């Protein structure tokens, strides 16, 4: 088999396997009918943008469900640089979550999903910066590769390539790369290495998905020249689904839960517009004008089209299996096609339709959710034919072990078989492929070129079913899964995962030592197998000490964890470095942490990352002790404040009363709390009274969009989109003598070294005279920004608003961020502190 054939085969398996970690697809007659209509359309659309949630789900759903085109979204990044509204995961782990949110969205709107190797390093103000950090050549390679593999007739960009600097640099870059790739994909001299596994391709047209937003207002867009545009009424209603296109799009959009993009479905007419960028303008309103989208597009396809058009015309919603004889006839003809691209795609589609029409159910369930290299697990294989069609199970194959059966499948009679699945001794653990090697700030490191662009790591363990349906040989492949019965949720599916024999983690990713006193830290060891015998040591910086040097651990059962304790002895002087638990099991050494991501809206995920904890010995002073924390959108600031010795109690909005607050020295409001917590608008007077009576209140950044109240401060303050994205941007002190820069810690320029991703975001751009700005900073070529840290005396206390990204700096162990935040909490405090107990 040639490499091209291998890639084509893999593509077919990929298309069939998008739902590997969820309940198996069980399409009803209406869904089968829509699949048949899609089978009869040979045209494709590729939508291109920068991040998860950038895509226009209305257009994707429209092309997939109304036009029936093969439709995909190419997101250049996985969204690692965003915020997380549903949990504490940021950076790589957030990228894993957002990848799965995109895949779930595509299952709803009918699209497919692709990526490049570009890393979402955070907000960028200009494509010049973006493309320098991304490595333009490599990302352009990935865009060209996606086009050559997907072979779209139409490309639609979400953003305008002609307006650099007017929006996120990632946005504009995605459009610029797409425009450039349009002219390269049919040139054999461009990225020739790709042509070992794919072929050149020329899309017909390239569009920009414009709207009134890009014109500044609906009125301006209404008056705009639309002669170079096409409009689509995407509000169409699908009677067989009982949903409008806009309702489907809203369900899809709402899967971006980590970004708070829950969307309410709409009904009725709604227009979307695309502006022609390259290619010829269709004259009849059909975006596919001049493109043959029928089966006659491929040599030998006309007769297939005749058969399948009759299947569509005569489809029996009460008996879908009546279509099977003609579907099989078409299937056999598809296998004779010379066009490998359409042969692969349409083979996958028609096989799914044949299985659905026959009510065919194939499943391979592991006895264990996890296994390790060299282990053997038991499989339960279930096969059932829920139609009167003559179907025979010829054989099934597990892990290169073929079992002959030659059993007829009678209508609704279930067959079950038990098999053993042996895991190879060199089998690598399951983890997102783009995280297995350390990448750069702007790029993932993907060593295997066959994986570039894939949304997730292909499943290693599958069961192949060789069937004969009406004497036609046809095979199906199903990924091995794990399922269980949950008392509340009922049947729950999870992917079958390979894990290491052992993994260890230190719960805290940053350990702050304010003195040279030793600290006892827990190390949690998790076993991937039964009867684990291991020894644990901790790699550490030279000027730190660990006691004991080594400990043995025994764990009886796989999946269980045991916690052991080490003493960490810091140096007397300021120092920082990394600690890594090292586990030895026989001749094998393990240094990675096994992370589980488990949210109801996406499939369960396991991720292996280096198990590292940053240790920081710093000299930090603080005043005040008792902190009340109002949680916002998933940050770990409370844990970070505990690291430097504060007593932190998380309080819910319902618990904000005068009596509750009197015990605290300061109240800290989490990031985007005023965007996400509706009840806060009813608690502002109580919070401001707390400040007036001598407390300190620190509010971290919010966006101006969707504020639950306009009165986030006791004085007027206006939030903007100002931000400083260069984490190394020079920071100047506006008032060098101000207490925030001097008490109880002397803040210097050194405290702003080592910041990650950005300085801060969504700074206020205007404020009442009662506020004092403390810091001044700006990105290259921009005006000075003074709104990153504002403080106002209010009564006897202080109100502070900050857009500085403490929520990113604390997890990175940036010592200066801790020192500055301690000053913010300490302002106005003296050595004589109120000693109110938190238990009062």
């Amino acid at each position: 088999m040639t490499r091209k054939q291998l890639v084509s085969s893999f593509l077919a398996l990929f298309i069939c396997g998008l739902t590997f970690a969820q309940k198996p697809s069980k399409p009803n007659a209406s869904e089968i009918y829509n699949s048949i209509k899609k089978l009869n359309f040979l045209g494709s659309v590729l939508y291109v943008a920068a991040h998860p949630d950038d895509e226009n789900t209305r257009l994707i759903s429209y092309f997939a469900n109304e036009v029936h085109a093969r439709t995909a979204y190419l997101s250049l990044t996985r969204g690692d640089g965003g915020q997380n509204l549903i949990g504490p995961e940021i950076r790589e782990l957030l990228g894993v979550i957002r990848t799965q949110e995109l895949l779930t969205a595509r299952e709803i709107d009918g699209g497919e999903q692709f990526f490049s190797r570009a890393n979402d390093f955070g907000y960028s103000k200009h494509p010049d910066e973006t493309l320098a950090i991304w490595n333009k050549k490599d990302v352009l390679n990935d865009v060209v590769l996606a086009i050559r593999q997907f072979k779209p007739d139409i490309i639609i960009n979400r953003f305008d390539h002609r307006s650099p600097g007017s929006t996120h640099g990632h946005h504009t870059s995605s459009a610029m790369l797409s425009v450039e790739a349009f002219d390269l994909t049919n040139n054999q001299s461009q990225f020739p290495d790709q042509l070992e596994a794919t072929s050149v391709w020329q899309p017909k047209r390239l569009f920009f998905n414009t709207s009134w937003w890009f014109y500044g207002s609906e009125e301006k867009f209404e008056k705009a020249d639309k002669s170079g545009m096409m409009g689509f009424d995407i509000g169409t209603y699908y009677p067989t689904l009982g949903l409008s296109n806009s309702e489907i799009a809203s369900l899809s959009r709402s899967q971006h839960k980590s970004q708070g993009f829950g969307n309410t479905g709409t009904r009725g007419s709604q227009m979307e517009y695309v502006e022609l960028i390259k290619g010829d303008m269709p004259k009849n309103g059909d975006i596919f004008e001049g493109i043959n989208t029928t089966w006659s597009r491929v040599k030998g396809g006309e007769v297939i089209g005749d058969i399948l058009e009759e299947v569509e015309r005569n489809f029996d919603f009460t008996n879908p299996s009546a279509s099977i004889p003609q579907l099989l006839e078409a299937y056999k003809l598809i296998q004779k096609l010379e066009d490998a691209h359409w042969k692969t795609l349409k083979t996958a589609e028609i096989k799914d339709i044949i299985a659905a029409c026959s009510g065919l159910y194939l499943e391979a369930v592991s006895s264990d959710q996890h296994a390790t290299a060299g282990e053997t697990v038991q499989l339960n294989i279930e096969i059932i034919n829920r139609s009167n069609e003559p179907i025979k199970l010829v054989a099934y194959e597990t892990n290169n072990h073929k079992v002959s059966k030659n059993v007829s499948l009678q209508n609704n009679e279930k067959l079950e078989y038990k098999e053993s699945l042996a895991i190879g001794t060199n089998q690598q653990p399951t983890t997102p492929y783009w995280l297995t090697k350390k990448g750069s700030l702007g790029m993932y490191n993907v060593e295997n070129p066959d994986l570039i662009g894939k949304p997730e790591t292909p499943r290693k363990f599958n069961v192949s079913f060789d069937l004969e349906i009406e004497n036609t040989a046809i095979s199906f492949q199903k990924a091995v899964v794990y399922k269980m019965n949950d008392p509340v949720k009922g049947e729950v599916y999870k992917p079958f995962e390979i894990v290491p024999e052992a993994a260890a983690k230190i719960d805290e990713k940053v350990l702050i030592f304010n003195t040279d006193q030793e600290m006892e830290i827990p190390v949690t060891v998790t076993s991937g197998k039964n009867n684990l015998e291991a020894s644990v040591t901790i790699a550490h910086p030279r000027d730190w000490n660990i006691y004991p040097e080594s400990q043995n651990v025994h764990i009886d059962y796989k999946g269980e964890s045991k916690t052991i304790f080490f003493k960490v002895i810091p140096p007397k002087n300021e120092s920082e470095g990394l600690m890594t638990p090292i586990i030895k099991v026989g001749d094998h050494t393990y240094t990675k942490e096994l992370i589980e991501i488990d949210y109801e809206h996406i499939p369960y995920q396991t991720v292996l990352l280096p198990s590292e904890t940053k240790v920081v010995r710093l000299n930090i002073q603080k005043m005040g002790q008792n902190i009340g924390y109002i949680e916002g959108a998933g940050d770990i600031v409370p844990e970070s404040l505990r690291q430097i010795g504060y007593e932190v109690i998380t309080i819910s909005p319902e618990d904000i009363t005068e009596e509750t607050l009197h015990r605290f020295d300061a109240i800290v409001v989490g990031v985007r709390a005023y965007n996400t917590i509706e009840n806060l608008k009813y608690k502002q007077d109580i919070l401001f009274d707390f400040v007036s009576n001598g407390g300190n209140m620190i509010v971290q950044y919010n966006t101006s969009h969707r504020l639950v109240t306009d009165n986030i401060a006791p004085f007027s303050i206006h939030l903007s989109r100002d931000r400083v994205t260069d984490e190394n941007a020079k920071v100047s002190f506006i008032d060098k003598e101000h207490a925030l820069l001097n008490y109880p810690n002397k803040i210097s320029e050194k405290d702003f070294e080592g910041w990650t991703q950005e300085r801060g975001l969504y700074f206020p751009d205007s404020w009442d005279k009662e506020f004092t700005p403390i810091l001044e900073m700006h990105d290259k070529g921009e005006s000075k920004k003074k709104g990153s840290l504002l403080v106002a005396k209010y009564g006897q206390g202080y109100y502070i608003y900050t857009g500085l990204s403490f929520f990113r700096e604390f997890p990175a162990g940036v010592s200066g961020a801790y020192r500055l935040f301690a000053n913010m909490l300490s302002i106005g405090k003296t050595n004589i502190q109120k000693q109110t107990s938190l238990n009062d």
Side-chain angles (χ1 to χ4, degrees):
M1 182 178 287
T2 66
R3 188 174 179 190
K4 286 187 178 182
Q5 289 172 323
L6 285 170
V7 171
S8 296
S9 299
F10 173 76
L11 179 60
L13 299 177
F14 164 70
I15 294 168
C16 296
L18 284 178
T19 59
F20 70 82
Q22 302 179 66
K23 290 185 177 180
S25 176
K26 302 172 184 177
N28 58 40
S30 294
E31 291 167 331
I32 296 170
Y33 178 68
N34 285 322
S35 296
I36 293 171
K37 294 177 77 172
K38 194 165 188 175
L39 182 64
N40 278 331
F41 192 93
L42 278 69
S44 51
V45 177
L46 180 66
Y47 199 90
V48 181
H51 310 106
D53 74 43
D54 282 346
E55 82 276 26
N56 186 338
T57 56
R58 296 182 298 274
L59 266 185
I60 290 176
S61 178
Y62 174 81
F63 282 115
N65 297 301
E66 173 65 13
V67 181
H68 302 294
R70 183 184 179 218
T71 310
Y73 174 42
L74 171 59
S75 175
L76 295 196
T77 78
R78 296 176 185 268
D80 306 56
Q83 285 81 51
N84 185 359
L85 300 188
I86 61 173
E89 297 90 354
I90 57 174
R91 293 304 306 155
E92 296 94 342
L93 297 179
L94 178 59
V96 173
I97 290 172
R98 298 187 72 183
T99 293
Q100 293 301 320
E101 287 179 336
L102 272 180
L103 287 173
T104 304
R106 297 294 80 78
E107 288 182 1
I108 291 171
D109 60 35
E112 299 173 36
Q113 186 62 52
F114 300 98
F115 293 93
S116 82
R117 289 170 290 171
N119 192 349
D120 179 5
F121 56 83
Y123 193 86
S124 175
K125 293 183 176 178
H126 199 279
D128 288 350
E129 177 195 38
T130 299
L131 295 173
I133 294 175
W134 271 357
N135 186 335
K136 177 186 174 182
K137 181 180 179 181
D138 286 347
V139 183
L140 180 61
N141 170 90
D142 296 357
V143 177
V144 170
L145 178 64
I147 295 172
R148 285 174 171 174
Q149 289 180 333
F150 187 74
K151 302 192 184 310
D153 300 303
I154 308 295
I155 298 176
I156 301 176
N157 292 341
R158 182 60 177 132
F159 299 105
D160 190 349
H161 68 290
R162 300 162 296 191
S163 55
S166 63
T167 182
H168 197 323
H170 296 183
H171 292 169
T172 310
S173 295
S174 71
M176 292 170 64
L177 290 167
S178 176
V179 171
E180 187 171 352
F182 185 91
D183 294 327
L184 301 179
T185 55
N186 201 33
N187 187 338
Q188 293 191 1
S189 68
Q190 298 295 322
F191 307 106
D193 290 349
Q194 297 178 2
L195 301 179
E196 294 180 22
T198 187
S199 59
V200 295
W201 178 254
Q202 183 57 60
K204 181 75 170 177
R205 299 182 180 101
L206 172 67
F207 293 92
F208 156 49
N209 183 194
T210 189
S211 71
W212 68 262
W213 189 88
F214 294 95
Y215 284 75
S217 69
E218 294 187 30
E219 291 76 18
K220 289 181 180 179
F221 186 62
E222 190 71 28
K223 298 175 183 177
D225 178 12
K226 296 185 177 61
S227 59
M229 299 183 193
M230 297 186 68
F232 309 97
D233 185 351
I234 52 83
T236 185
Y237 174 67
Y238 306 122
T240 58
L241 301 178
L243 293 168
S244 71
N245 185 75
S246 302
E247 287 174 311
I248 293 173
S250 294
L251 292 171
S252 173
R253 184 74 171 165
S254 296
Q255 300 312 304
H256 295 296
K257 298 184 188 301
S258 68
Q259 305 307 296
F261 281 130
N263 202 272
T264 300
T266 60
R267 288 146 294 280
S269 179
Q270 185 176 356
M271 295 298 295
E272 283 284 345
Y273 291 89
V274 294
E275 177 186 350
L276 184 69
I277 302 298
K278 285 182 177 290
D280 60 311
M281 187 69 178
K283 297 182 178 60
N284 63 0
D286 178 7
I287 199 169
F288 282 96
E289 179 190 286
I291 302 169
N292 186 353
T293 59
T294 71
W295 272 99
S296 63
R297 177 174 189 160
V298 296
K299 182 181 177 181
E302 255 185 274
V303 62
I304 299 172
D306 292 341
I307 296 168
L308 292 177
E309 283 174 14
E310 187 175 346
V311 170
E312 184 178 332
R313 275 195 310 271
N314 299 325
F315 183 74
D316 187 345
F317 285 82
T318 63
N319 181 24
S321 64
S323 298
I324 289 178
Q326 288 177 297
L327 287 169
L328 289 170
E329 185 180 353
Y331 169 79
K332 287 183 285 187
L333 292 172
I334 291 172
Q335 303 319 296
K336 299 177 182 179
L337 291 177
E338 296 177 8
D339 189 317
H341 176 71
W342 287 111
K343 175 182 176 180
T344 299
L345 295 175
K346 294 305 178 181
T347 293
E349 287 182 31
I350 199 168
K351 282 170 62 174
D352 284 346
I353 293 169
I354 290 169
C357 285
S358 64
L360 187 63
Y361 188 86
L362 306 169
E363 186 174 77
V365 176
S366 169
S367 56
D368 297 285
Q369 183 185 347
H370 300 131
T372 57
E375 189 177 354
T376 298
V377 298
Q378 300 304 307
L379 296 184
N380 183 68
I381 297 173
E382 179 181 339
I383 306 165
I384 187 168
N385 166 25
R386 290 171 289 188
S387 73
N388 288 317
E389 290 301 308
I391 300 178
K392 179 192 289 187
L393 172 63
V394 178
Y396 59 77
E397 184 174 347
T398 63
N399 200 28
N400 297 321
H401 172 60
K402 195 161 190 173
V403 181
S404 296
K405 287 298 178 182
N406 291 311
V407 178
S408 294
L409 304 180
Q410 303 302 317
N411 188 353
N412 217 30
E413 290 186 6
K414 181 171 66 175
L415 298 181
E416 287 188 287
Y417 301 101
K418 305 291 183 183
E419 289 292 337
S420 295
L421 177 65
I423 313 299
T425 55
N426 296 320
Q427 178 61 46
Q428 294 300 305
T430 307
T431 196
Y433 71 85
W434 61 94
L435 298 178
T436 56
K437 298 290 183 181
K438 185 175 179 61
S440 65
L441 173 63
M443 296 294 293
Y444 296 118
N445 182 358
V446 180
E447 291 186 336
N448 182 353
D450 292 336
L451 293 176
I452 294 174
K454 302 293 186 287
E456 55 193 344
T457 306
R459 288 286 125 179
K460 176 66 178 178
F461 297 100
N462 304 278
V463 174
S464 297
F465 298 87
D466 295 335
L467 306 179
E468 282 185 5
I469 305 177
E470 292 192 357
N471 297 316
T472 299
I474 186 169
S475 63
F476 297 88
Q477 189 174 65
K478 296 292 181 180
V480 173
V481 296
Y482 172 78
K483 73 175 178 181
M484 56 173 285
N485 183 71
D486 184 275
V488 176
K489 301 176 185 177
E491 188 178 56
V492 174
Y493 280 80
K494 290 185 177 182
F496 172 63
E497 308 273 47
I498 305 301
V499 298
E501 290 180 292
K505 67 174 181 176
I506 301 172
D507 288 341
E508 300 291 346
K509 295 307 172 190
V510 175
L511 291 172
I512 304 294
F513 291 77
N514 193 26
T515 70
D516 61 359
Q517 295 298 305
E518 66 185 34
M519 181 189 300
E520 190 173 62
I521 64 164
V523 176
T524 302
V525 180
T526 301
S527 177
K529 67 176 188 177
N530 294 331
N531 298 313
L532 176 73
E533 296 285 351
S535 64
V536 183
T537 58
I538 298 180
H540 57 84
R542 285 185 178 182
D543 51 347
W544 296 66
N545 290 292
I546 304 290
Y547 179 81
E549 291 185 1
S550 176
Q551 294 191 59
N552 294 326
V553 63
H554 171 82
I555 300 177
D556 290 324
Y557 300 106
K558 69 161 61 178
E560 286 191 349
S561 298
K562 183 172 286 188
T563 300
I564 55 179
F565 293 87
F566 289 84
K567 288 182 179 178
V568 179
I569 305 167
K572 293 187 179 298
N573 300 319
E574 290 193 347
S575 172
E576 60 182 57
L578 295 174
M579 295 194 314
T580 296
I582 300 174
I583 309 174
K584 287 204 71 175
V585 182
D587 296 330
H588 296 100
T589 299
Y590 301 96
T591 60
K592 291 192 173 182
E593 174 183 354
L594 182 66
I595 302 162
E596 297 176 320
I597 298 177
D598 194 5
Y599 291 99
E600 288 193 4
H601 69 298
I602 58 175
Y604 168 93
Q605 301 287 299
T606 59
V607 184
L608 281 172
L609 291 177
S611 183
E612 296 177 339
T613 288
K614 186 173 183 179
V615 287
V616 181
R617 167 74 172 95
L618 59 78
N619 293 315
I620 187 169
Q621 304 296 321
K622 62 185 182 63
M623 299 299 169
Q625 182 64 24
N626 302 325
I627 310 299
Y629 197 90
I630 302 170
E631 290 186 323
D635 62 66
I636 62 169
V637 171
E639 293 87 341
S640 301
L641 297 180
R642 294 185 186 107
Q643 287 273 345
I644 56 175
Y646 283 104
E647 297 288 338
V648 184
I649 301 296
T650 301
I651 54 177
S652 65
E654 294 75 20
D655 294 331
I656 298 175
T657 64
E658 183 178 347
E659 182 180 1
T660 301
L661 298 189
H662 88 282
R663 67 185 68 180
F664 298 113
D665 298 301
I667 297 295
V668 180
V669 183
V671 298
R672 294 188 67 178
Y674 287 105
N675 296 131
T676 57
I677 304 175
E678 185 75 20
N679 286 346
L680 271 183
K681 67 182 178 183
Y682 306 116
K683 302 294 182 176
Q684 290 299 86
D685 289 342
I686 299 173
L687 289 167
F688 296 158
D689 285 345
F690 164 78
V691 179
S692 181
N693 292 329
N696 290 342
M697 181 177 177
I698 299 172
V699 177
Q700 298 175 84
Y701 97 92
N702 292 267
T703 68
S704 59
H705 181 58
R706 292 182 179 175
L707 281 170
V708 299
T709 176
D710 293 329
N711 301 314
I712 63 172
F715 306 111
S716 176
I717 188 172
H718 178 262
L719 303 184
S720 74
R721 297 185 64 83
D722 287 350
R723 61 201 301 163
V724 176
T725 62
D726 182 358
E727 63 268 35
N728 298 310
K730 179 177 174 55
V731 178
S732 301
F733 301 155
I734 297 173
D735 183 357
K736 294 182 180 180
E737 304 305 317
H738 197 281
L740 283 185
L741 298 176
N742 294 277
Y743 179 82
N745 303 286
K746 181 71 173 178
I747 302 300
S748 69
E749 291 183 2
K750 184 179 179 181
D751 289 296
F752 291 93
E753 295 177 359
W755 283 51
T756 65
Q757 188 160 326
E758 62 199 352
R759 288 296 190 197
L761 60 171
Y762 299 108
F763 300 160
D765 60 356
S766 63
W767 47 84
D768 272 0
K769 59 182 177 60
E770 285 83 3
F771 281 106
T772 299
I774 305 300
L775 305 175
E776 184 178 83
M777 60 190 74
H778 64 91
D779 282 322
K780 184 178 179 180
E782 294 195 352
S783 62
K784 296 177 180 179
K785 306 293 188 293
K786 298 182 178 181
S788 64
L789 181 58
L790 303 174
V791 58
K793 185 76 183 297
Y794 183 67
Q796 300 177 56
Y798 290 85
Y799 175 95
I800 297 174
Y801 187 91
T802 181
L804 293 172
S805 58
F806 291 102
F807 71 102
R808 295 198 190 280
E809 311 317 318
F810 285 168
V814 178
S815 57
Y818 282 91
R819 287 160 48 82
L820 179 57
F821 209 94
N823 282 12
M824 292 158 59
L825 291 168
S826 301
I827 189 170
K829 309 297 181 186
T830 66
N831 287 322
I832 304 173
Q833 298 296 318
K834 56 183 180 181
Q835 299 297 319
T836 305
S837 168
L838 288 175
N839 295 320
D840 285 353

